[in-house]
Amino acid sequence: MAPHRIFIPHIHEDDAYVAELRDMLNRHGREADVSAIDSTSPNNANDPDYIMSRYIRPKVEWCEAIVVLISPDTQGSDWVDKEIELAKELGREIIGVFLPGSEGCPLPDGLGDYAHAVTTYDEQQILGALDGAISTISDGAGNTRPSTVVRHNC
């Protein structure tokens, strides 16, 4: 069964794409959410454990899949890495999406190992990955390899 509740890990520099992606997913019957911490509503908390337990973990527990936005600065983001690890720990579907102009950027840690699919920023590609029709890891430049992650449709 295709996931309907989607969490979107991203870095703040990519906030502009989040609303667009959320609108697209909503048009197709999906419910998309973020950690509620972005450049328009920053969080002044400094304790990483508090941020994880109060903002991020509840969203990843709520969702059925995460769609990780990939851009030049995503690789190396501790928060994105933690969100991917948590999604894997909780058995969530993990999809990566290269933002326009980011093709060929290195994948965030864990995404290459745990992703069910990595696609370009294309509506049909994203929906196909969420629906399980696409299960390849793309570099965003047309090269793909099969994902080694097994999907469980329960």
Side-chain angles (χ1 to χ4, degrees):
M1 181 171 193
H4 290 281
R5 292 188 312 270
I6 315 296
F7 176 68
I8 307 171
H10 66 288
I11 58 172
H12 294 304
E13 292 79 4
D14 299 330
D15 283 348
Y17 289 97
V18 174
E20 185 178 309
L21 179 60
R22 183 185 301 154
D23 290 345
M24 182 273 289
L25 291 168
N26 289 341
R27 280 195 316 275
H28 291 278
R30 304 318 202 308
E31 186 179 353
D33 206 345
V34 295
S35 67
I37 303 170
D38 63 22
S39 58
T40 62
S41 63
N43 178 313
N44 294 324
N46 294 317
D47 180 2
D49 292 333
Y50 175 81
I51 294 168
M52 180 59 78
S53 66
R54 174 75 171 91
Y55 293 97
I56 296 171
R57 186 174 193 89
K59 298 295 183 175
V60 179
E61 287 175 341
W62 163 85
C63 78
E64 298 164 320
I66 66 169
V67 174
V68 180
L69 300 184
I70 305 166
S71 66
D73 295 324
T74 308
Q75 204 268 348
S77 165
D78 290 339
W79 286 112
V80 170
D81 292 343
K82 289 176 184 181
E83 291 162 343
I84 293 168
E85 287 292 329
L86 181 58
K88 186 208 184 285
E89 173 188 318
L90 295 174
R92 303 307 188 245
E93 296 245 349
I94 301 172
I95 308 296
V97 175
F98 281 103
L99 294 179
S102 299
E103 298 81 1
C105 288
L107 297 177
D109 291 344
L111 196 59
D113 295 327
Y114 306 143
H116 293 85
V118 176
T119 71
T120 57
Y121 192 77
D122 172 85
E123 186 169 322
Q124 295 309 312
Q125 292 285 310
I126 296 167
L127 293 172
L130 286 168
D131 292 341
I134 296 173
S135 58
T136 54
I137 307 298
S138 170
D139 65 2
N143 303 305
T144 61
R145 66 174 171 80
S147 172
T148 58
V149 178
V150 177
R151 290 181 188 257
H152 300 283
N153 295 321
C154 4

